[in-house]
Amino acid sequence: MATRRRTAAPNAEWVLMYRGGLTRPRIAALTRAPSSTISYHLTVALAADPGLQAAHEQAAGTPAPQVSVLGLARMRELVALVQETGRYPTRTAVDAKERMVASWWERRRRDAAAGTLAPAYRDGLAVLPDWQRPPRSVADEARWQDRLTALVRYRAAGNDWPRHKAVAAGEEHDLGVWLHVQRQKARRGELEPNKARTLDELLPGWRTGRQRGRKPHNSPSAAGS
């Protein structure tokens, strides 16, 4: 029977030091433990004890993270953008407001990594499970979903499975290359299980594709037969 991986309990000594006001770099220096390990343990502890961050700040004499009216507005804009478009803002966007939201989002990601994110922002952004992921991985996921949607639409229009070889061009070639990559990953066991399930549900037969000797759904001879 498969066992569920358990999150390791945070190091009690490090948590106590953090509660007492010591910073992560200071704890790492005193214990000679890797900073990444210290950060992992404290992240687990902070998730389990919402009051730990406030206790640390009080002991360290540092002010609590400030939340502004403008910051809350930027947070709402970020949430609305992601929920409406399925993508995150970029700092190279044409729209000036999107660029500002992207900069705000980047600062909040840095705050979260440093353990200084204001609780109001943390709770508000919790509706976006991927908001702390690096932008590149988020963008890659969005592109995958876009390709999936395009292929579902392509097949629903009566087209056969797209080809990826030189004979194909335009949309068929682009979708064929993407589908070919998914098949290769699936054969090597590298395709994420949730993506494989999604493909199975929305595009039955995607693993095998065209059958030899079978005419495309929208070919003239098939339509006239």
Side-chain angles (χ1 to χ4, degrees), residues 2 4 12 16 24 26 39 53 70 78 99 112 119 126 133 157 167 177 192 202 204-206 208 214 218:
R4 179 177 296 178
L16 185 61
R24 298 173 191 225
R26 183 58 177 160
S39 181
Q53 183 64 35
L70 178 59
L78 174 65
R99 294 197 300 272
R133 291 173 58 189
V167 67
V177 169
E192 296 174 24
L202 299 181
W206 69 275
T208 53
R214 179 176 143 208
N218 60 347

Side-chain angles (χ1 to χ4, degrees), residues 55-69:
H56 164 76
E57 291 167 357
Q58 183 176 4
T62 53
Q66 296 298 309
V67 175
S68 67
V69 173

Side-chain angles (χ1 to χ4, degrees), residues 198-218:
T198 300
L199 285 164
D200 289 338
E201 293 171 2
L202 299 181
L203 295 163
W206 69 275
R207 297 173 187 267
T208 53
R210 294 185 179 220
Q211 301 301 309
R212 184 171 298 179
R214 179 176 143 208
K215 296 183 182 298
H217 294 171
N218 60 347

